[in-house]
């Protein structure tokens, strides 16, 4: 049963949500807001802790294309480390950023050039691509350096990152999901 003029079930659910908020006393509401803030800050602390432990500015990434199939598929969640003492070797899967591109790329190292002074330059290629990545690098750049590496793949969970891809492809879904999660945390009552 819906209230007249409420817009159907959605409007009725919104009325219930606001009714629940009005029935809470101020102390309960403050407690729920504080609980929500603690959840968000805990998630941020865990993320920052992972950055410190793994040495990577982005310890978890989602594969966004099929360029690494069959090794990784679109939507796979990768766990990265980036310890600067570890040498980069051919065959290793790295995540790198290129100047002029916002999104990191996940590809395999196919060639490594080490110089006597310790400088390392390397070339990457997607397993499912016909040619190397020189076309992806900034103009005039033929090799990557260690400073370009965000991390190295150390493990993965298949297709777990599809949620992230769906939320990026459908922003309304993302905001609706965030609103539902926020409302749940704010309205959940301790028993």
């Amino acid at each position: 049963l819906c209230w007249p003029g409420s817009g159907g079930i959605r409007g009725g659910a919104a009325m219930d949500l606001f009714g629940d908020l009005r029935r809470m006393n101020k102390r309960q509401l403050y407690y729920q807001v504080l609980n929500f803030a603690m959840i968000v800050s805990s998630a941020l602390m865990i993320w920052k802790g992972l950055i410190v432990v793994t040495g990577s500015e982005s310890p978890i990434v989602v594969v966004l294309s099929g360029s690494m199939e069959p090794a990784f598929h679109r939507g796979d969640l990768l766990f990265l480390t980036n310890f600067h003492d570890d040498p980069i070797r051919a065959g290793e899967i790295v995540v790198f950023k290129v100047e002029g591109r916002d999104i990191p790329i996940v590809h395999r190292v196919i060639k490594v050039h080490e110089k006597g002074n310790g400088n390392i330059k390397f070339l990457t290629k997607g397993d499912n691509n016909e040619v190397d990545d020189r076309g992806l690098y900034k103009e005039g750049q033929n090799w990557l350096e260690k400073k370009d590496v965000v991390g190295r793949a150390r493990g993965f969970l298949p297709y777990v990152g599809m949620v992230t891809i769906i939320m990026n492809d459908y922003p309304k879904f993302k905001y609706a999901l965030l609103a539902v999660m926020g409302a749940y945390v704010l309205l959940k009552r301790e028993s």
Side-chain angles (χ1 to χ4, degrees):
L1 213 56
C2 297
W3 293 95
S6 68
I9 293 172
R10 285 187 202 164
M15 288 298 201
D16 288 344
L17 175 72
F18 292 119
D20 283 346
L21 279 174
R22 270 188 248 124
R23 283 190 291 274
M24 280 186 186
N25 65 35
K26 286 184 180 182
R27 186 175 186 179
Q28 285 177 318
L29 184 60
Y30 291 143
Y31 175 76
Q32 293 304 86
V33 169
L34 184 60
N35 193 19
F36 182 71
M38 287 177 51
I39 290 170
V40 170
S41 62
S42 294
L44 289 173
M45 285 190 293
I46 289 170
W47 182 256
K48 290 296 186 179
L50 283 173
I51 289 172
V52 170
V53 169
T54 63
S56 175
E57 68 185 62
S58 185
I60 300 171
V61 295
V62 175
V63 177
L64 298 176
S65 74
S67 67
M68 279 302 293
E69 290 179 6
F72 298 122
H73 297 275
R74 188 169 193 254
D76 287 355
L77 190 71
L78 299 181
F79 301 101
L80 309 178
T81 62
N82 194 22
F83 303 118
H84 293 285
D85 296 340
D86 292 345
I88 293 176
R89 299 286 175 227
E92 191 172 24
I93 297 170
V94 296
V95 178
F96 61 92
K97 276 190 177 178
V98 177
E99 191 177 314
R101 292 181 180 258
D102 294 335
I103 299 173
I105 300 168
V106 179
H107 281 173
R108 189 178 305 275
V109 175
I110 58 170
K111 289 183 185 175
V112 177
H113 286 283
E114 294 184 56
K115 297 192 176 176
N117 62 1
N119 285 348
I120 296 174
K121 293 188 177 202
F122 56 96
L123 181 64
T124 56
K125 176 186 173 297
D127 290 356
N128 203 20
N129 293 348
E130 296 291 323
V131 296
D132 63 42
D133 290 343
R134 287 184 176 136
L136 297 175
Y137 304 159
K138 73 177 182 179
E139 191 174 325
Q141 182 180 8
N142 291 320
W143 301 92
L144 292 175
E145 297 175 18
K146 268 191 157 183
K147 67 175 178 59
D148 300 315
V149 175
V150 173
R152 303 169 200 201
R154 300 296 186 206
F156 76 102
L157 287 173
Y159 303 111
V160 174
M162 285 306 289
V163 174
T164 303
I165 291 173
I166 291 168
M167 287 195 307
N168 284 335
D169 289 350
Y170 304 101
K172 289 180 183 177
F173 174 74
K174 173 172 55 177
Y175 297 125
L177 184 65
L178 290 172
V180 167
M181 288 172 33
Y184 174 76
V185 170
L186 285 173
L187 298 176
K188 185 183 132 235
R189 296 188 183 185
E190 298 293 322
S191 35

